[in-house]
């Protein structure tokens, strides 16, 4: 994608400007979201138009004005070409998702991770997705296996979209959504000792939800997929640093650390990682 963007903009930007263009951009259905360095902001509309004209069926190009932030993990967007339209359909692994890029979190960059986790699931499982967003992890898992999944999200928009996504993928009898704070929902003990697998895809705050997630797991134990943000000067140290962090966080529990990997880099020397754990109760 990096070369693709530079190729598109060759002849439009000077060579020095081209060297500053960021390496990639997100394509979500018929919407493109790009980042532009401050020094090139005066060219944002030309850049947007070139992208719009070059990609078939693209309807909108947004500039990402701020990084993902706040409880709902939203990013500031400004339309720079095409329609100011935030809603689109996105397709992944044979599933279809209605997404609103302005009001709910969604990232196509987690798609490999969604597939990886869905491949670990066994038929018959009951799963809780504690920070479900529009329900992508849950739908992909449930499309692949005969399982039940409970989505929880505190963002009302994400919750509504997750219900729609469960329905349009014909999973409304197996993928359910709950609107609320996961901590509060799980403290009500509705899931206590019932769950085989819990997903915690909120790297900034997952550590605050360890006790409530383990409380859900069956007495025979269960799986956690725990997302973290790890600082590291070198890429080779990310997994060891992440595992040291996890071993410390879970020190009062009996667990097997099964696997850790980098999901993506999120900032210079900051990586998102995921760790798969089996918790013995
Ligand atoms: C990083 S997004 C993950 C979205 C989803 N897993 C995906 O792959 O698209 C985190 C989500 O957690 C939700 N969230 C944040 N704090 C929460 C809380 N305390 N309880 C429930 N959901 C929360 C946000 O609204 C957001 O949709």
């Amino acid at each position: 994608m990096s070369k693709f963007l530079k190729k598109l903009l060759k002849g439009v930007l000077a060579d020095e400007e081209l060297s500053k263009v960021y390496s990639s951009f997100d394509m979500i259905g018929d919407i493109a979201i790009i980042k532009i360095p401050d020094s090139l902001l005066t060219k944002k509309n030309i850049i947007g138009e070139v992208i719009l004209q070059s990609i078939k069926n693209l309807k909108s190009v947004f500039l990402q004005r701020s990084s993902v932030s706040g409880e709902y993990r939203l990013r500031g967007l400004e339309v720079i070409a095409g329609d100011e339209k935030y809603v689109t359909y996105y397709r992944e692994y044979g599933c279809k998702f209605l997404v609103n890029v302005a009001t709910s979190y969604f990232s196509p960059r987690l798609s490999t991770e969604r597939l990886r986790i869905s491949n670990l699931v066994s038929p018959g499982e009951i799963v809780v997705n504690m920070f479900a967003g529009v329900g992508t992890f849950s739908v992909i898992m449930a499309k692949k296996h005969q399982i039940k999944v409970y989505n929880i999200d505190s963002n009302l928009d994400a919750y509504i979209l997750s219900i729609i996504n469960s329905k349009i993928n014909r999973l409304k009898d197996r993928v359910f959504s709950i609107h609320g704070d996961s901590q509060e929902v799980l403290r009500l003990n509705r899931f206590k000792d019932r769950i085989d697998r819990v997903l915690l895809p909120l790297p900034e705050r997952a550590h605050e939800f360890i006790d409530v997630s383990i409380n859900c797991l069956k007495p025979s134990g269960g799986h956690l997929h725990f997302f973290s943000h790890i600082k590291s000067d070198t890429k080779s140290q990310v997994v060891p640093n992440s595992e040291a962090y996890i071993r410390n966080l879970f020190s009062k529990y009996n667990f097997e650390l099964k696997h850790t990997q980098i999901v993506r880099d999120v900032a210079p020397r900051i990586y998102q990682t995921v760790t798969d754990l089996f918790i013995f109760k």
Side-chain angles (χ1 to χ4, degrees), residues 68 70-74 104-107 110 114 129-137 152-156 158 180-184 199 201-205 209 264 272:
V68 167
E71 177 180 341
Y72 300 158
R73 314 309 298 146
L74 304 178
S104 44
Y105 177 91
F106 176 77
S107 174
L110 293 174
R114 292 191 267 268
N129 183 354
M130 285 179 68
F131 310 106
V134 302
T136 29
F137 272 96
I152 309 175
D153 205 287
S154 54
N155 178 352
L156 183 63
D181 179 318
S182 288
Q183 192 91 254
E184 288 169 19
L199 274 63
L202 184 63
E204 303 78 8
R205 292 189 55 208
F209 296 79
R264 55 181 172 162
Q272 184 179 138

Side-chain angles (χ1 to χ4, degrees), residues 261-280:
Q261 68 176 52
I262 297 175
V263 177
R264 55 181 172 162
D265 42 346
V266 286
R269 293 181 294 285
I270 301 180
Y271 297 83
Q272 184 179 138
T273 60
V274 60
T275 300
D276 305 335
L277 301 134
F278 188 87
I279 308 287
F280 302 94

Side-chain angles (χ1 to χ4, degrees), residues 24-26 33 90 107-114 263-264:
S24 59
F25 61 94
D26 286 350
I33 301 179
Y90 168 83
S107 174
R109 295 175 192 222
L110 293 174
S111 83
T112 312
E113 189 49 28
R114 292 191 267 268
V263 177
R264 55 181 172 162

Side-chain angles (χ1 to χ4, degrees), residues 214-225:
I214 292 178
N215 180 53
C216 297
L217 295 175
K218 286 181 172 166
S220 52
H223 302 270
L224 293 188
H225 301 285

Side-chain angles (χ1 to χ4, degrees), residues 6-7 10 28 37-38 64 67 73 82 110 163-164 168 174 207 215 235 237 250 260 265 272 275 279:
K6 285 184 198 277
K7 216 168 159 183
K10 205 170 165 69
I28 305 171
D38 288 350
Q64 181 170 331
S67 49
R73 314 309 298 146
L110 293 174
I163 295 174
I164 295 170
I168 59 184
R174 293 195 289 113
H207 59 277
N215 180 53
K235 208 165 181 174
Q237 271 306 111
F250 285 79
T260 300
D265 42 346
Q272 184 179 138
T275 300
I279 308 287

Side-chain angles (χ1 to χ4, degrees), residues 204-245:
E204 303 78 8
R205 292 189 55 208
H207 59 277
E208 296 171 35
F209 296 79
I210 293 174
D211 291 347
V212 283
S213 63
I214 292 178
N215 180 53
C216 297
L217 295 175
K218 286 181 172 166
S220 52
H223 302 270
L224 293 188
H225 301 285
F226 192 89
F227 289 71
S228 317
H229 276 167
I230 300 295
K231 266 193 184 162
S232 183
D233 288 336
T234 59
K235 208 165 181 174
S236 61
Q237 271 306 111
V238 177
V239 168
N241 287 355
S242 187
E243 294 199 336
Y245 167 72

